């Protein structure tokens, strides 16, 4: 193997950058438009390219420069309007249907295919990368992350085996190290990049399941769990669906989780939790602590859970899909105190890190467990080890996209201080929304602001409590259909509520102010019509 192949990626292993200056987005007026009118409708089939004459991708190589130019120009047009566009367009549910039809016997070539795809994408894509998408705790794509994603597709590395991509594998080692620095996790921990929080929870809990089996003298990854009693799993009412889904995929069972809740909100009953662990008499168990629940952004008492769990022989898994980023800002760092003493910790990259989908990360205290869970053998598998890892043997995927490019690029571009500033700005914007909710006579704040989510509902004067759920459900549908801002409803303490989350690096004061304006405007219309 050429020496240069294995030496370029290590040259990227700087110390995690501390700061990088970025330009703030200038607030602009929000136009109302029909995307079909703006983007000119659908191209005629065969209007570009070969009109049914293309039979082999190799024949399209002559068009490659045109294809790249087309992709760039369409991307530039989309991104230029992203800050001003409605999040949802009138064609959101119909645009992709225009691409239906029988499988072509002969193709029209890449220029035609991409032109059709771009037209449909302009018309129908939800602007989830934009500054007014407040649904599902989803960030955008930083310029560095977006550019790196283009390079990722161009280089097309499979980071499963070291031999397949020394560059991608080394860069993943660097990216994981930088993330551990960012989150102040112990240097000795292992880590792996995955698709998102669901698979990150799967990795962390799979390692916990292996540890639990070994505590009973059983290698559950070789022999299965059928010979063992059910694995005890404890959490609060804040547990996320992705964690219970992971437990289902692992064969542990979704219903195996015991929840200790002291109120309708789901907050941990710490006394009952500790008593349950004590009753195990030192037998191993799994504890899932939640760093940021999805309705109000609240946290379990992680430091207490870690301390109690470690005293009672529990594997402590921390789900920090977005809440782990609270560790970056001094004002919220205490929320994650103690996670460095947990056994596994996870987070999402396409949330507060603002890299493109899909990206997540799992960190494990005992890195040897990763290989025990995900290792595999085949006659053509070669290499491996700490210095030249085969990541296919350390995570659930054997074929793996080079997610480290976007992670490395965005951390290199903006550094620790850039992310600290972004988190702190989002915390301030969240408080701004909460203050406006409290000042409005037709809105009700339902929970104190802990991090980056505001939980509230529309509550106009003169409307009885019995009608508020219906009004807020209708309002939620109206907000999504209107499309100027984008977030939906949830249920919080039995009430229908809203839970906009602020994690996009583009979001400004004008964007969050519009959020409140739209809710009150559409809410007033619904109240009149009731």
């Amino acid at each position: 193997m050429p020496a240069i192949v294995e030496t370029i990626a290590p040259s990227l292993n700087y110390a995690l950058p501390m700061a990088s200056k970025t330009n703030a987005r200038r607030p602009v007026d929000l136009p109302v438009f029909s995307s079909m009118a703006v983007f000119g409708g659908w191209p005629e089939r065969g209007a570009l390219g070969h009109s049914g004459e293309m039979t082999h991708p190799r024949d399209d190589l002559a068009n490659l420069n045109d294809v790249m130019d087309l992709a760039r120009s369409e991307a530039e047009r989309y991104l230029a309007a992203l800050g001003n566009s409605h999040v949802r367009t009138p064609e959101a549910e119909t645009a992709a249907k225009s691409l239906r039809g029988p499988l072509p016997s002969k193709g029209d070539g890449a220029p035609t295919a991409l032109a059709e795809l771009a037209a449909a994408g302009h018309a129908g894509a939800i602007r989830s990368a934009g500054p007014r998408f407040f649904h599902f705790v989803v960030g955008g794509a930083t310029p560095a992350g977006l550019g790196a994603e283009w390079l990722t597709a161009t280089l097309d590395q499979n980071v499963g085996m070291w031999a397949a991509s020394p560059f991608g594998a080394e860069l993943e080692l660097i990216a994981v190290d930088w993330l551990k620095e960012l989150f102040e996790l112990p240097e000795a921990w292992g880590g792996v990049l995955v698709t998102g929080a669901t698979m990150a929870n799967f990795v962390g809990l799979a390692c916990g399941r292996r540890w639990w089996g070994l505590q009973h003298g059983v290698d559950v990854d070789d022999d299965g769990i059928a010979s063992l009693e059910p694995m005890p799993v404890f959490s609060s009412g804040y547990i996320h669906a992705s964690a219970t889904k992971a437990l289902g995929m692992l064969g542990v069972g979704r219903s195996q989780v015991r929840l200790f809740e002291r109120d309708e909100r789901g907050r941990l009953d710490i006394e009952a939790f500790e008593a349950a662990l004590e009753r195990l008499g030192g037998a191993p168990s799994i504890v899932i602590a939640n760093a940021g629940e999805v309705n109000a952004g609240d946290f379990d008492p992680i430091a207490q859970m870690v301390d109690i769990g470690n005293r009672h022989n529990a594997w402590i898994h921390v789900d920090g899909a977005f809440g782990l980023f609270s560790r970056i800002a001094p004002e919220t760092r205490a929320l994650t105190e103690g996670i460095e003493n947990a056994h596994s910790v996870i987070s999402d990259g396409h949330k507060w890190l603002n890299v493109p989908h899909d990206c997540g990360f799992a960190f494990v205290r005992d890195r040897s467990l990763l290989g025990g869970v995900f290792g595999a053998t085949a006659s053509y598998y070669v290499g491996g080890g700490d210095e030249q890892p085969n990541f296919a043997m350390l995570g659930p995927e054997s074929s793996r996209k080079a997610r480290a490019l976007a992670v490395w690029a965005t951390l290199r571009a903006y550094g620790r201080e850039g992310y600290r500033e972004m988190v702190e700005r989002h915390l301030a914007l969240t408080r701004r929304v909460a203050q406006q909710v409290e000042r409005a006579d037709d809105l009700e704040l339902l929970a104190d602001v802990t991090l980056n989510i505001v939980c509230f509902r529309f509550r106009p004067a003169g409307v009885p409590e019995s009608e508020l759920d219906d009004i807020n459900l209708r309002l939620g549908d109206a907000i999504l259909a209107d499309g100027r801002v984008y977030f939906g409803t949830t249920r919080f303490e039995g009430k229908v509520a809203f839970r906009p989350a602020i994690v996009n690096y583009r979001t400004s004061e004008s964007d969050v102010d519009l959020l409140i304006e739209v809710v009150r405007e559409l809410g007033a219309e619904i109240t009149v019509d009731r």
Side-chain angles (χ1 to χ4, degrees), residues 14 25 35 37 67 90 126 131 148 153 161 195 205 221 226 270 304 369 371 376 382 417 450 458 464 507 521:
Y14 312 103
R25 186 183 66 81
S35 55
V67 169
I126 298 293
M161 308 297 288
T195 56
L205 292 169
D221 296 290
I270 193 76
Q304 286 180 275
L369 293 168
V382 296
E417 291 302 308
T450 302
F458 182 63
T507 302
E521 172 193 323

Side-chain angles (χ1 to χ4, degrees), residues 44-55 60 63 104 106-113 116:
E44 294 290 334
R45 183 166 180 80
L48 300 172
H50 291 263
S51 187
E53 297 299 321
M54 184 65 64
T55 59
D60 227 0
N63 297 317
K106 293 186 177 181
D108 292 333
T112 295
E116 292 176 3

Side-chain angles (χ1 to χ4, degrees), residues 91 113 121 143 213-214 251 259 312 422 439 476 485 502 506-508 517:
E91 294 82 24
L214 293 174
L259 303 182
H312 294 284
M422 183 177 67
R439 288 197 296 265
V485 296
I502 300 170
R506 293 172 175 258
T507 302
S508 70
E517 292 171 18

Side-chain angles (χ1 to χ4, degrees), residues 274-490:
E274 184 169 13
L277 285 173
E278 286 178 348
R279 283 194 294 272
L280 290 178
S285 63
I286 304 293
V287 169
I288 300 175
N290 305 282
E293 62 87 33
V294 293
N295 283 331
D298 198 12
F299 283 59
D300 281 333
I302 292 174
Q304 286 180 275
M305 293 180 78
V306 170
D307 177 61
I308 293 169
N310 280 329
R311 284 192 279 110
H312 294 284
N313 196 29
W315 175 281
I316 302 108
H317 173 78
V318 180
D319 180 353
F322 64 94
L324 187 58
F325 282 80
S326 66
R327 202 161 171 82
I328 299 172
E331 63 185 286
T332 53
R333 190 189 183 285
L335 293 169
T336 58
E337 196 68 44
I339 66 166
E340 64 277 5
N341 297 315
H343 298 84
S344 54
V345 176
I346 70 98
S347 192
D348 237 327
H350 49 246
K351 288 183 169 57
W352 231 331
L353 193 65
N354 279 256
V355 296
H357 286 83
D358 51 27
C359 181
F361 9 94
F363 308 100
V364 181
R365 182 198 292 184
D366 182 354
R367 61 174 64 227
S368 70
L369 293 168
L370 292 167
V373 174
F374 299 108
T377 58
S379 60
Y380 60 94
Y381 287 175
V382 296
D386 292 343
E387 297 300 318
Q388 297 184 348
N390 290 330
F391 277 101
M393 309 302 144
L394 301 176
E397 302 164 290
S398 292
S399 297
R400 305 175 71 253
K401 172 183 172 182
R403 298 183 182 92
L405 271 71
V407 174
W408 183 91
T410 201
L411 290 174
R412 176 69 179 89
Y414 313 115
R416 186 198 311 275
E417 291 302 308
Y419 276 93
R420 179 195 55 76
E421 186 278 333
M422 183 177 67
V423 170
E424 290 178 341
R425 181 164 51 83
H426 288 158
L427 297 176
L429 290 174
T430 307
R431 290 192 296 269
R432 181 184 180 93
V433 174
Q435 289 163 2
Q436 292 185 45
V437 168
E438 289 186 303
R439 288 197 296 265
D441 58 8
D442 53 357
L443 301 177
E444 179 185 11
L445 189 66
L446 297 177
D448 293 336
V449 169
T450 302
L451 194 63
N452 65 322
I453 296 175
V454 183
C455 187
F456 71 100
R457 66 175 174 171
F458 182 63
R459 187 172 187 174
V463 176
E465 180 71 31
S466 60
E467 296 182 23
L468 287 177
D469 278 359
D470 180 65
I471 285 177
N472 279 277
L473 283 171
R474 291 168 56 199
L475 178 54
D477 290 341
I479 291 168
L480 295 177
D482 177 83
R484 284 174 288 174
V485 296
Y486 211 70
F487 55 91
T489 59
T490 188

Side-chain angles (χ1 to χ4, degrees), residues 29-53:
D29 293 333
L30 178 68
V32 178
F33 67 87
S34 167
S35 55
M36 284 297 291
V38 170
F39 296 115
W42 314 114
E44 294 290 334
R45 183 166 180 80
L48 300 172
H50 291 263
S51 187
E53 297 299 321

Side-chain angles (χ1 to χ4, degrees), residues 207-218 220 225 228-232 252 283-286 315:
C207 290
R209 183 189 64 169
R210 178 169 180 77
W211 167 86
W212 171 80
L214 293 174
Q215 291 277 302
H216 289 288
V218 176
V220 297
I225 60 175
L228 295 169
E229 293 294 320
M231 187 173 83
V252 174
S285 63
I286 304 293
W315 175 281

